[in-house]
Amino acid sequence: MAEEPTEESRPAWLAATLNDLNEVEIDEPIRDSRSADCGELSEQFLEAHSNLQATTEASETARLRVYALIGAVTGMFFRPGQPNEPFAPMLRLADGRRTAAPEDFRGAPLDVLATAAERTTNIVLQARLSDLCWALDRRHGRLATKAVKAYTEIAKQLVDGQLTLSGAAKPPLFEHRVRDYIRRALQLGRSIGWNKPETKAARDLAMAFRQKAATASLPLPLRMFSELDLDYGISPPETVGIDIEKTLHALSTELDTHTKYNLWKIAARAYHVAKRDDDKIRCSSEAAECLVVEATSLSSNSSLLASNSLSRAIAELHGIPGKRARRKELQHRLVDLQSGISDEMNLVEHSIDAHDIAKLVRDELSKPRLVEKLSAFSHLAQSPQPGDLISEAVKSIREHPLSSLFGSSHHDSDGKVVFRTAGDGLGDTHHPTAIAQQIAQHERIRRSLVAFEIEIARRCINDKHYISTDVFVRILEFSFVVPQDLIWTFSCGFERFFRGDFVSATYILTPLLENSLRHVLKANGHDVTKFDDATQTQQDRTISSLFEQQRNELETAFTSAIITDIENTFLRPPGPCLRHKIAHGLLQDGAPYGDDARYACWLIMRICLAPALHHAQYFARELDMF
């Protein structure tokens, strides 16, 4: 049973009690504050706490505990974009330490917060405490109503100038935090009652700010509040679209293409909701043309950036009637742009001292018998466990959040985008493609290190033994992974690899991997065909189909670590995708000599040789003759 945390181990912000509240004036540290920023309130409470700590009076302990509590709660990160988890720790370190989190306040601390929410007269603190109480316990419906009213009042007073925000835009209508307060009020209002007076006041304020932005032709506030309006269905959607178009026409010569694109997109969305298809198509076309203009202006400086804008324009025109010719024209321009991308790519190298690794490999390969050397060769590395890959990727994202904060595109040798990874946030959840990107980076480094060991081991074996096709033919007779009618072909591929003919080895062995997987599944009683009802014919499943439809069977036969290794090396982007490139003739001349291809050949050898080497007693003496 887990031990209860001691008083010493509990965070200071959980020590306050209801009795402490009876002795303390909660608003005292922020009595003169006009800030709408909870972060600033947190600093004021923590400063008051720090000043009190300098005294030694026992009578001050209640205030110390209350100020620590309120300072921690107001210091949490506010994220209205995630309605189910609107608060999070402001800081989380790799060693597990963090600032206050919502879950800390469950139980007795929640009762203290609820009482504090009722007593405070500061609307900013009132909103934070009431919202947190409701987020932790839905029974606090009255506090949720209080939070809706407080958030609405904060936004109103910010625009009226009664409250301030440090670093806020002028006029305040440009400030995204004003929009965020209203968004959170609407989120809560939708839960507690859309027609309640407090919720209706929040809806009316959101509509009023949007109309004010439209009347004054303020593009950024119009964009923010139009999106908010559409998200919650406040105004008639066609009205939102019409107001945006009026602003676009009024400022047609003043707006940059990026702003125009965003406004046209929102207008298209508004007309889509209003079921005005012709207007939606027109606005979508205008948005696409904004991207074309942007691509044209970027093309003189960067083909990479320009091609990205142009590809987005082509995607915007997809499905729009009468735009096929325009899409085809833009596709030709895209191909021309992509031809210049390779000139912008720079090779980044990082050298390491591998003398110790080389010595360890040579020591391992110093065994006298060939069968022992081949066994050591096939066990140079182990395929990592899938769970370990994910946990390492998540750890890397947390320790280096900027590395995955923005999305990225992955290009082939012609500059075409073949895979995109999404940007990752700063929270506890991570986008699957961001994790895939981190795994691909880690695996690329691991394959490079293993490829170095493979090369040292290959040369050590060649220095002492003559490796012919017959060597592998004799071994593979005992491998359940290799079909009997393909032993010679596999052996030729392995022999070419040991001879340093990596082109032949890569192109021989990669297609054979698919056959081996099917062979093992069939040997285990699984059907590896698919039946076409229309033509009443059967076809063998491709390797992609095997991974999609029979993943569990593959993992049972080969282990999940090996199957994931195969997937990351041969199939899954953003990895090297060797199987696809070889099957479609996309591999460049130098690629078979690269780390990924050498590792891929070794991985196939390991899968085929390791089971056979368990029966070494039948051929070890014979191999000593080589």
Side-chain angles (χ1 to χ4, degrees):
M1 183 179 294
E3 294 183 2
E4 290 293 329
T6 63
E7 288 298 324
E8 291 76 11
S9 65
R10 294 182 69 199
W13 57 77
L14 297 180
T17 66
L18 289 172
N19 289 333
D20 291 334
L21 286 182
N22 295 329
E23 301 178 24
V24 176
E25 178 63 38
I26 300 173
D27 295 337
E28 184 177 346
I30 56 172
R31 192 174 304 281
D32 299 325
S33 175
R34 294 179 60 246
S35 175
D37 188 346
C38 267
E40 292 186 18
L41 300 189
S42 176
E43 291 177 3
Q44 291 170 355
F45 274 105
L46 295 179
E47 181 181 1
H49 179 272
S50 178
N51 293 336
L52 283 175
Q53 278 187 320
T55 70
T56 56
E57 297 179 18
S59 60
E60 299 292 357
T61 55
R63 284 207 293 172
L64 280 171
R65 291 191 288 263
V66 170
Y67 291 171
L69 171 71
I70 305 300
V73 171
T74 50
M76 287 192 296
F77 180 49
F78 181 49
R79 45 184 194 181
Q82 300 187 33
N84 295 323
E85 297 181 355
F87 304 108
M90 183 61 74
L91 178 66
R92 190 188 296 273
L93 301 178
D95 60 5
R97 291 181 297 159
R98 59 166 173 76
T99 55
E103 58 268 22
D104 294 342
F105 301 96
R106 296 187 185 278
L110 184 58
D111 295 332
V112 179
L113 291 181
T115 303
E118 297 284 6
R119 294 185 180 179
T120 181
T121 58
N122 183 289
I123 60 168
V124 180
L125 181 56
Q126 197 176 92
R128 172 59 58 94
L129 296 176
S130 300
D131 192 356
L132 180 60
C133 289
W134 186 83
L136 292 174
D137 189 345
R138 293 297 193 267
R139 289 174 295 182
H140 287 290
R142 196 164 65 86
L143 289 180
T145 303
K146 198 179 190 72
V148 172
K149 185 177 181 180
Y151 279 128
T152 305
E153 187 62 26
I154 292 170
K156 184 178 179 181
Q157 290 191 22
L158 276 169
V159 174
D160 292 343
Q162 299 175 50
L163 290 177
T164 62
L165 283 169
S166 59
K170 302 291 185 181
L173 203 59
F174 279 89
E175 178 55 53
H176 67 90
R177 285 173 285 186
V178 173
R179 183 268 321 268
D180 289 346
Y181 285 131
I182 300 178
R183 179 179 293 280
R184 185 56 185 160
L186 294 171
Q187 289 169 359
L188 293 168
R190 178 172 281 177
S191 298
I192 64 172
W194 195 238
N195 293 318
K196 277 194 170 186
E198 293 81 5
T199 307
K200 188 176 184 305
R203 288 159 42 197
D204 291 344
L205 190 64
M207 183 190 299
F209 284 172
R210 183 191 63 77
Q211 292 172 341
K212 185 175 182 179
T215 302
S217 295
L218 302 174
L220 180 58
L222 181 61
R223 172 187 168 187
M224 291 192 301
F225 290 107
S226 294
E227 287 181 324
L228 185 64
D229 197 316
L230 292 173
D231 287 345
Y232 290 91
I234 299 171
S235 304
E238 61 272 17
T239 302
V240 177
I242 291 170
D243 286 345
I244 290 175
E245 285 203 75
K246 287 180 179 177
T247 298
L248 281 165
H249 293 311
L251 303 175
S252 58
T253 59
E254 302 175 26
L255 297 178
D256 60 89
T257 53
H258 183 71
T259 301
K260 287 181 180 179
Y261 166 76
N262 286 316
L263 288 174
W264 282 120
K265 283 287 290 180
I266 298 170
R269 177 190 170 190
Y271 288 130
H272 173 73
V273 175
K275 295 182 170 42
R276 292 173 54 164
D277 292 338
D278 291 343
D279 291 321
K280 173 202 167 185
I281 289 171
R282 177 173 50 79
C283 292
S284 295
S285 300
E286 292 286 355
E289 294 304 324
C290 288
L291 292 173
V292 175
V293 172
E294 184 176 77
T296 303
S297 64
L298 290 171
S299 59
S300 59
N301 297 319
S302 173
S303 297
L304 181 62
L305 295 176
S307 64
N308 178 61
S309 295
L310 202 56
S311 63
R312 288 168 58 204
I314 295 170
E316 289 285 349
L317 292 173
H318 179 72
I320 296 180
K323 294 296 181 178
R324 174 177 287 186
R326 180 58 170 162
R327 289 185 75 233
K328 193 167 286 188
E329 175 193 347
L330 296 179
Q331 286 170 349
H332 289 307
R333 287 176 60 180
L334 179 63
V335 171
D336 293 338
L337 273 174
Q338 289 172 337
S339 64
I341 289 179
S342 58
D343 296 333
E344 299 177 24
M345 298 296 186
N346 294 319
L347 182 64
V348 179
E349 295 183 349
H350 179 70
S351 59
I352 61 172
D353 187 352
H355 286 89
D356 292 340
I357 297 176
K359 184 178 184 304
L360 288 173
V361 173
R362 291 192 184 98
D363 291 343
E364 189 67 23
L365 271 293
S366 63
K367 299 170 182 177
R369 306 186 71 183
L370 177 57
V371 69
E372 293 174 323
K373 288 185 173 69
L374 290 175
S375 179
F377 179 78
S378 65
H379 290 88
L380 283 172
Q382 296 293 321
S383 298
Q385 294 293 331
D388 294 340
L389 290 173
I390 294 173
S391 61
E392 284 297 317
V394 171
K395 179 182 177 183
S396 180
I397 291 173
R398 287 177 177 173
E399 292 180 352
H400 310 284
L402 293 181
S403 65
S404 57
L405 186 60
F406 303 103
S408 59
S409 57
H410 302 259
H411 300 255
D412 63 8
S413 58
D414 293 327
K416 299 190 297 295
V417 178
V418 293
F419 187 73
R420 291 184 184 274
T421 55
D424 205 31
L426 298 175
D428 297 332
T429 57
H430 304 284
H431 197 282
T433 60
I435 292 177
Q437 164 73 355
Q438 287 295 326
I439 290 175
Q441 289 180 355
H442 293 173
E443 283 294 275
R444 189 179 302 117
I445 296 171
R446 185 185 69 87
R447 286 193 295 266
S448 296
L449 293 174
V450 176
F452 173 75
E453 297 179 21
I454 292 168
E455 187 62 17
I456 298 296
R458 187 184 68 82
R459 295 187 181 188
C460 287
I461 294 175
N462 280 332
D463 286 344
K464 299 293 183 182
H465 304 273
Y466 177 76
I467 305 297
S468 68
T469 306
D470 294 331
V471 170
F472 295 109
V473 169
R474 187 72 182 104
I475 297 174
L476 294 180
E477 290 174 351
F478 295 89
S479 176
F480 70 86
V481 180
V482 179
Q484 290 296 305
D485 56 354
L486 284 174
I487 288 177
W488 180 261
T489 307
F490 269 95
S491 299
C492 286
F494 295 161
E495 185 263 345
R496 289 292 87 199
F497 182 77
F498 266 91
R499 293 291 181 198
D501 183 0
F502 299 127
V503 175
S504 298
T506 302
Y507 280 87
I508 291 172
L509 295 176
T510 301
L512 291 177
L513 174 63
E514 182 176 323
N515 192 294
S516 284
L517 297 179
R518 281 198 300 266
H519 174 71
V520 173
L521 288 179
K522 284 193 290 185
N524 282 274
H526 301 295
D527 182 14
V528 293
T529 63
K530 56 183 179 180
F531 188 83
D532 190 325
D533 294 330
T535 61
Q536 298 185 22
T537 58
Q538 284 180 281
Q539 300 290 332
D540 286 328
R541 291 189 182 276
T542 64
I543 189 170
S544 299
S545 178
L546 291 176
F547 270 76
E548 290 173 2
Q549 304 297 327
Q550 296 179 289
R551 176 78 179 234
N552 292 336
E553 292 86 344
L554 287 171
E555 292 183 350
T556 301
F558 290 95
T559 74
S560 59
I562 289 176
I563 292 303
T564 301
D565 202 359
I566 291 173
E567 187 176 39
N568 289 336
T569 304
F570 292 95
L571 303 175
R572 178 190 290 176
C577 297
L578 289 174
R579 185 260 182 188
H580 172 79
K581 291 179 180 177
I582 288 174
H584 298 284
L586 300 174
L587 208 63
Q588 294 182 317
D589 282 347
Y593 295 90
D595 295 336
D596 290 329
R598 282 187 290 173
Y599 177 85
C601 291
W602 170 84
L603 180 59
I604 297 173
M605 292 181 69
R606 176 189 167 214
I607 293 170
C608 297
L609 291 180
L613 291 172
H614 287 300
H615 307 284
Q617 68 269 24
Y618 297 108
F619 52 78
R621 188 181 299 274
E622 185 178 342
L623 294 187
D624 288 341
M625 300 174 60
F626 292 92

